Amino acid sequence: MDYNFMFFFNSMLLGVGLAMDAFSVSLANGLNEPKMRKLKMCCIATTFAFFQALMPLIGWVCVHTVVQQFESFEKFIPYIALALLSYIGISMLIDGIKNKDEEKKDIKLTPLALLVQGIATSIDALSVGFTISDYELPMALVCALIIALVTFFICMGGIMLGRTFGTKLSSKASLLGGAILLFIGIEIFVTGVF
């Protein structure tokens, strides 16, 4: 394969497709923390970008080394994503319900929760390793870098959009954010299993 227009275009399309779950979770994070600082926004977007780039590369390595083991693991991906996102989403819903009558306070996103979100939203990207399996390693790395850049900018947009609406929605933001995470987990599960 060559580094031509179609390679870059397809890599960008992969990035957009893979970033949709991360965008939704970024939106939920922005809703949940409307006063989020720019540094934290960049950390969140970078985390999602990192995992969205890493997972296809892990899939690429699996295709080139241990494809049989990866195929047996692939059927568990929807279950893992559902469990991780449900845990975070239910926690946000519970916090939103507990704080419903109290004055709204921002529920901060912890580094561990961000790590779980990054893995959960990108774990289905492992299968993209099959899509890029005919690439040589340098091309796979460039493709992953493009996916990371696209994801970063899409997630920043999601966070900013969430912050804007989080300020307007105030006490309902945590409930909405939790519901979004649950919906994404169910969507990944349903599309992965059926």
Side-chain angles (χ1 to χ4, degrees), residues 90-101:
I90 290 169
S91 296
M92 286 175 70
L93 285 172
I94 290 170
D95 286 338
I97 291 168
K98 282 182 183 176
N99 297 323
K100 189 176 182 182
D101 298 327

Side-chain angles (χ1 to χ4, degrees), residues 4-15:
N4 55 27
F5 173 77
M6 286 309 294
F7 166 77
F8 290 103
F9 183 70
N10 288 338
S11 297
M12 286 179 13
L13 287 181
L14 274 174

Side-chain angles (χ1 to χ4, degrees), residues 103-125:
E103 187 175 312
K104 169 70 175 140
K105 63 174 184 168
D106 290 340
I107 301 161
K108 303 292 184 202
L109 179 66
T110 65
L112 179 61
L114 179 58
L115 181 68
V116 170
Q117 287 179 356
I119 293 169
T121 57
S122 66
I123 198 162
D124 59 336

Side-chain angles (χ1 to χ4, degrees), residues 32-100:
N32 193 47
E33 198 175 329
K35 295 179 179 126
M36 187 183 302
R37 294 181 328 208
K38 291 193 186 331
L39 178 63
K40 187 169 185 178
M41 292 169 56
C42 287
C43 288
I44 291 170
T46 300
T47 300
F48 288 125
F50 172 77
F51 282 108
Q52 291 293 358
L54 178 66
M55 293 299 179
L57 287 176
I58 291 173
W60 183 89
V61 168
C62 289
V63 167
H64 289 274
T65 57
V66 289
V67 75
Q68 290 80 21
Q69 286 80 7
F70 180 72
E71 286 174 354
S72 63
F73 169 76
E74 189 175 23
K75 64 185 169 200
F76 296 109
I77 288 174
Y79 297 96
I80 294 168
L82 176 64
L84 293 172
L85 289 173
S86 293
Y87 171 75
I88 297 168
I90 290 169
S91 296
M92 286 175 70
L93 285 172
I94 290 170
D95 286 338
I97 291 168
K98 282 182 183 176
N99 297 323
K100 189 176 182 182

